[in-house]
Amino acid sequence: MTSFRRAGLLLLIVVAVAGALFVSLQLPYRDFAAEAFVRFDRGSGTLAMARALQQAGVIRYAWQFWIERAMNPSAKLAAGEYKFDEAASVSAVFRRIARGDVYYFELSIPEGSNIFEIARLAEAAGAMPAQAFLKAAEDPISIHDLDPAATTLEGYLFPAKYRLSHSTTAAELCQLMTTQFRRQWKKLAGPSADPHRTVTLASLVEKETALAEERPLVAAVFANRLKIGMHLDCDPTTIYAALLDHRYRGTIHRSDLDSKNPYNTYQNPGLPPGPITNPGAESLAAALHPAETQYLYFVAKPSGGGHQFSETLAEHDKAVRAYRHGSQDHGSQEHGTQSQKPAAKASKKA
């Protein structure tokens, strides 16, 4: 065989092998069940990525990914978590990672959610075990520069939608939420605002009304009571105290009202030691700027849709009687919110 023929044969072999390799990169492959999740940490090299994809059943051979990388040397492969739920070619997988088509899901935290409720939501979403979140949320060190008196992150886990991956840790989620709180606080508060007092007051406002127009009025009631040394008699604080004592049974009982827990504002004067939930921006704004009123009381309107605010105990007692009469007419029961039960308590302490 002449050298010319040998060179030609070698060229044909090279072309055939290259063609076979190219085709292998374009053939869809899948060796996993419903879906596969693969995470690449920052700094992961091509070899580590290739092995992870092979082990997850996303590609058949690790060397295929290497070939694709050799064909695209300038591509930047993005770290993060990727979800695969159908057969795909090596080239398609490579392009997804080069695009940074990172998988995430949204965790929505409603305004007024406390750390226990957030923990349950995170677990229900498959983000993390509830206990893992609670453990992270009970460490206040990340917020101590803003509120040295904080004993947990309660109040500073801002309610919003968050993008998470399955590898998001509880500490990372807490960091996302406190970072969002800091953004909101910077927009709303001046340099002289007291974060601990404001957030604590805002958390009470958040739990007492869902109506934006009522929040400054509720904040005013609490602020006015604080000025004259009157107990706040706020039912949500009683509930939170029962939660902390692992005794809450869905409704407020006399034993809850009589509890000496520091968070129970029926038994303890002033604000509770800290926030009882995580308030939204409107409640924070209300706590920073309460309405200018003389109101000391409020009770739910018998027809629903808000509260009746009163300056005097006589006015309040009248509103309470109207509420109770309306509740009986509609066959409903008292909710156990501050606007209901304080009627008897406040009459003794006013």
Side-chain angles (χ1 to χ4, degrees):
M1 182 179 295
T2 66
S3 60
F4 179 78
R5 287 181 176 179
R6 286 197 297 270
L9 180 59
L10 180 61
L11 178 61
L12 287 174
I13 293 173
V14 170
V15 170
V17 170
L21 289 175
F22 180 79
V23 170
S24 77
L25 301 181
Q26 310 309 313
L27 294 176
Y29 177 77
R30 170 178 176 170
D31 189 24
F32 53 86
E35 56 192 15
F37 294 91
V38 183
R39 175 182 172 84
F40 306 125
D41 295 324
R42 291 186 182 278
S44 296
T46 302
L47 177 59
M49 289 184 171
R51 287 174 174 171
L53 290 167
Q54 180 182 1
Q55 290 172 0
V58 177
I59 62 177
R60 188 185 297 275
Y61 302 113
W63 58 261
Q64 293 174 302
F65 197 77
W66 270 84
I67 296 295
E68 189 68 41
R69 164 49 102 185
M71 294 169 59
N72 299 275
S74 62
K76 295 182 179 180
L77 303 182
E81 183 178 43
Y82 293 83
K83 176 183 177 181
F84 302 93
D85 54 10
E86 58 184 22
S89 68
V90 175
S91 295
V93 170
F94 185 91
R95 288 195 296 271
R96 279 192 60 188
I97 300 172
R99 287 197 308 270
D101 186 13
V102 176
Y103 169 80
Y104 67 87
F105 61 93
E106 286 190 341
L107 176 64
S108 182
I109 307 300
E111 293 179 351
S113 300
N114 61 39
I115 57 174
F116 307 103
E117 292 163 335
I118 296 173
R120 288 194 292 270
L121 289 171
E123 183 170 270
M128 62 197 64
Q131 286 302 317
F133 178 83
L134 285 174
K135 183 177 180 181
E138 288 169 355
D139 183 359
I141 189 65
S142 63
I143 204 71
H144 270 175
D145 63 309
L146 189 63
D147 179 6
T151 57
T152 71
L153 294 180
E154 190 78 274
Y156 299 97
L157 302 169
F158 195 79
K161 287 184 178 179
Y162 294 93
R163 291 183 174 186
L164 310 180
S165 71
H166 287 104
S167 57
T168 302
T169 67
E172 288 170 342
L173 175 55
C174 287
Q175 185 64 43
L176 288 172
M177 300 181 79
T178 54
T179 297
Q180 184 61 21
F181 173 86
R182 290 174 186 275
R183 293 194 187 104
Q184 296 297 325
W185 180 256
K186 187 175 181 180
K187 292 178 184 178
L188 295 169
S192 62
D194 180 344
H196 188 82
R197 184 186 186 282
T198 302
V199 177
T200 301
L201 177 57
S203 72
L204 273 60
V205 173
E206 185 71 60
K207 296 301 288 185
E208 286 291 6
T209 182
L211 301 179
E213 63 271 20
E214 284 194 346
R215 286 171 177 152
L217 296 173
V218 172
V221 169
F222 290 137
N224 291 338
R225 287 191 171 199
L226 289 169
K227 287 178 184 177
I228 63 175
M230 184 177 177
H231 280 217
L232 298 184
D233 291 348
C234 175
D235 278 15
T237 66
T238 303
I239 292 172
Y240 195 75
L243 285 170
L244 294 177
D245 291 339
H246 306 288
R247 54 181 287 169
Y248 185 56
R249 292 158 286 178
T251 57
I252 295 176
H253 296 264
R254 172 53 58 182
S255 59
D256 298 320
L257 296 172
D258 293 338
S259 169
K260 300 302 182 182
N261 186 292
Y263 278 86
N264 179 16
T265 57
Y266 276 89
Q267 299 296 325
N268 300 285
L271 287 168
I276 63 170
T277 194
N278 295 280
E282 289 180 343
S283 292
L284 287 169
L288 287 163
H289 307 288
E292 294 184 7
T293 76
Q294 300 301 314
Y295 293 142
L296 289 174
Y297 309 90
F298 61 93
V299 67
K301 294 178 180 178
S303 58
H307 296 84
Q308 181 66 48
F309 293 83
S310 304
E311 293 184 9
T312 68
L313 183 58
E315 292 173 348
H316 179 59
D317 285 343
K318 182 179 178 180
V320 170
R321 287 194 296 271
Y323 167 78
R324 288 175 175 165
H325 181 71
S327 297
Q328 291 171 358
D329 288 346
H330 292 88
S332 62
Q333 297 178 346
E334 293 187 12
H335 300 169
T337 62
Q338 187 271 350
S339 55
Q340 264 74 178
K341 289 198 175 179
K345 300 291 286 186
S347 66
K348 294 178 181 179
K349 297 177 180 178

